[in-house]
Amino acid sequence: MFPFAYTRVSNTREALDAGRQGGRYIAGGTTLVDLMRETVERPESLVDISALPLREITVTERAGLRIGALVRMSETAAHPKVRTLYPVVSQALELSASAQLRNMATIGGNIMQRTRCTYFRDVTADCNKREPGSGCAALHGYNRTHAILGTSESCVATHPSDVAVAFAALEASVHLLGPDGARSLPFADFLLRPRSTPSREQALRKGELITAVEIPALPRPLKSGYLKVRDRQSYEFALTSAAVALHIRRGVIREARVAVGGVGTVPWKLPAVEQHLIGERPSESLWTAAAERAADGARPLEHNGFKVELLRRTVERQLRIVGGTK
Ligand code: SF4
């Protein structure tokens, strides 16, 4: 590990001052400290924001939810309102990491976490995300777990977060506070596809701090859930995953929200699948037909072609589970 300065701040003004001077924010530290030990990350200055008052979950108008950036993953998953209003969020969190990590890691940190591409974590490998311009060892290396959607010639790494897939499906927004004031971004605009600059992963300005993630109110009743497919049943990242939320009234699907994980360079929303569902009655044939669109635009690599069919099956199965025809 390289030497670094450490500052603990007690209010947002101190945090923003330190951030403006180039300090790197840290809270749970469950990703950043690992990466510093491996010398993948070498921040000169850490700003510990754990004491900031960003630890509340509040119900917003007509039962949307606002989750403070420093609420722990485990607290969010266990919160009664999250469990009843948006089970897809609770399930995505409970299928993430390990119990110990969920007790430390925060919601803000979770959506900021960096890829699990093994070449990114191997400082001897070429990696445009870690060292811009050095190349991408995964493109012609072992790329079984890499992305098939949203890739570029510069990077094919997946985004590792599960709850980010639920946030993408539910069209959440990310609240930010920076030297120029507060703003919010749709979740779809917060995480960036790699394009030619994979080292830039979020649409954050210098010194900006995540203050909350807000899930909008959606029509009720809303059934939702998260399915994660992985090589082993615990403490593993997704090969594919699907976050589904359906509003079904008088036997007809009025609203549909679908996003997938483990396959995209960012959590991947599926508007074609959603449109196929809206206005239809739940049925086995509907789930199958809608899921046919799940891998539209996929560009598999040498070792991850299996993800195309696995993704279709994951979406079909989760539509069936949430839609309730079986
Ligand atoms: Fe680096 Fe992205 Fe290539 Fe992995 S896929 S080696 S993170 S550039």
Side-chain angles (χ1 to χ4, degrees), residues 148-149 242 258 260 263 268-273 287-298 307-316 319:
I148 56 174
L149 290 160
V258 184
V260 291
V263 288
W268 204 256
K269 193 87 151 60
L270 297 181
V273 172
W287 310 139
T288 305
E292 279 299 310
R293 308 293 310 272
D296 282 2
K307 283 193 175 186
V308 173
E309 182 57 23
L310 186 61
L311 175 60
R312 287 197 195 103
R313 294 186 190 197
T314 305
V315 171
E316 180 181 345
L319 288 173

Side-chain angles (χ1 to χ4, degrees), residues 115 117 119-120 126-129 135-138 146 154-157 198:
T115 182
C117 172
Y119 300 107
F120 172 73
D126 293 337
C127 174
N128 288 322
K129 195 181 276 297
C136 171
H146 288 72
S154 298
C155 181
V156 291

Side-chain angles (χ1 to χ4, degrees), residues 20 97 108 186 264 301:
R20 191 170 30 218
L301 304 160

